[in-house]
Short mmCIF file of all heavy atoms in Angstrom, two decimals:
data_model
loop_
_atom_site.label_atom_id
_atom_site.label_comp_id
_atom_site.label_asym_id
_atom_site.label_seq_id
_atom_site.Cartn_x
_atom_site.Cartn_y
_atom_site.Cartn_z
N ILE A 166 -17.57 0.28 32.09
CA ILE A 166 -17.24 1.15 33.23
C ILE A 166 -18.32 2.22 33.37
O ILE A 166 -18.47 3.08 32.50
CB ILE A 166 -15.86 1.83 33.03
CG1 ILE A 166 -14.77 0.76 32.89
CG2 ILE A 166 -15.56 2.76 34.20
CD1 ILE A 166 -13.39 1.32 32.63
N PRO A 167 -19.10 2.16 34.44
CA PRO A 167 -20.19 3.14 34.58
C PRO A 167 -19.64 4.56 34.58
O PRO A 167 -18.67 4.85 35.30
CB PRO A 167 -20.79 2.79 35.95
CG PRO A 167 -20.34 1.38 36.25
CD PRO A 167 -19.01 1.22 35.58
N GLY A 168 -20.21 5.38 33.75
CA GLY A 168 -19.77 6.78 33.66
C GLY A 168 -18.79 7.04 32.54
O GLY A 168 -18.58 8.18 32.14
N ALA A 169 -18.21 5.97 32.00
CA ALA A 169 -17.20 6.17 30.95
C ALA A 169 -17.83 6.40 29.59
O ALA A 169 -17.22 7.01 28.70
CB ALA A 169 -16.26 4.97 30.89
N GLU A 170 -19.07 5.94 29.44
CA GLU A 170 -19.66 5.93 28.10
C GLU A 170 -19.68 7.31 27.45
O GLU A 170 -19.33 7.45 26.29
CB GLU A 170 -21.09 5.37 28.16
CG GLU A 170 -21.60 5.07 26.77
CD GLU A 170 -23.00 4.48 26.77
OE1 GLU A 170 -23.50 4.13 27.85
OE2 GLU A 170 -23.58 4.39 25.67
N ASN A 171 -20.08 8.30 28.23
CA ASN A 171 -20.21 9.63 27.62
C ASN A 171 -19.03 10.53 27.94
O ASN A 171 -19.19 11.68 28.29
CB ASN A 171 -21.53 10.25 28.05
CG ASN A 171 -22.70 9.47 27.49
OD1 ASN A 171 -22.72 9.15 26.29
ND2 ASN A 171 -23.64 9.09 28.34
N GLN A 172 -17.85 9.96 27.82
CA GLN A 172 -16.66 10.75 28.08
C GLN A 172 -15.77 10.79 26.83
O GLN A 172 -15.72 9.83 26.06
CB GLN A 172 -15.88 10.11 29.23
CG GLN A 172 -16.63 10.19 30.55
CD GLN A 172 -15.71 10.51 31.70
OE1 GLN A 172 -14.51 10.30 31.61
NE2 GLN A 172 -16.28 11.02 32.78
N PRO A 173 -15.09 11.91 26.69
CA PRO A 173 -14.17 12.02 25.54
C PRO A 173 -12.90 11.21 25.78
O PRO A 173 -12.37 11.20 26.89
CB PRO A 173 -13.85 13.50 25.50
CG PRO A 173 -14.03 13.97 26.91
CD PRO A 173 -15.11 13.13 27.50
N VAL A 174 -12.44 10.54 24.75
CA VAL A 174 -11.20 9.78 24.82
C VAL A 174 -10.15 10.50 23.97
O VAL A 174 -10.46 10.96 22.87
CB VAL A 174 -11.39 8.34 24.27
CG1 VAL A 174 -10.10 7.54 24.40
CG2 VAL A 174 -12.54 7.65 25.00
N ILE A 175 -8.96 10.59 24.50
CA ILE A 175 -7.85 11.18 23.74
C ILE A 175 -6.76 10.11 23.58
O ILE A 175 -6.37 9.46 24.55
CB ILE A 175 -7.28 12.41 24.47
CG1 ILE A 175 -8.32 13.55 24.45
CG2 ILE A 175 -5.97 12.88 23.81
CD1 ILE A 175 -7.91 14.76 25.28
N ALA A 176 -6.32 9.93 22.36
CA ALA A 176 -5.25 8.97 22.09
C ALA A 176 -3.90 9.66 22.31
O ALA A 176 -3.71 10.80 21.87
CB ALA A 176 -5.34 8.46 20.66
N ILE A 177 -3.01 8.97 23.01
CA ILE A 177 -1.67 9.51 23.25
C ILE A 177 -0.65 8.41 22.96
O ILE A 177 -0.86 7.25 23.34
CB ILE A 177 -1.51 9.97 24.71
CG1 ILE A 177 -2.51 11.10 25.02
CG2 ILE A 177 -0.08 10.43 24.99
CD1 ILE A 177 -2.39 11.67 26.43
N GLY A 178 0.39 8.78 22.25
CA GLY A 178 1.43 7.79 22.02
C GLY A 178 2.72 8.47 21.60
O GLY A 178 2.72 9.63 21.17
N GLY A 179 3.81 7.73 21.73
CA GLY A 179 5.10 8.26 21.34
C GLY A 179 5.77 7.35 20.34
O GLY A 179 5.59 6.13 20.37
N SER A 180 6.52 7.95 19.40
CA SER A 180 7.27 7.17 18.43
C SER A 180 6.29 6.36 17.56
O SER A 180 5.32 6.91 17.06
CB SER A 180 8.26 6.29 19.20
OG SER A 180 9.30 5.89 18.38
#
Side-chain angles (χ1 to χ4, degrees):
Chain A
I166 300 177
E170 193 179 350
N171 294 312
Q172 293 220 339
V174 182
I175 292 174
I177 299 183
S180 201

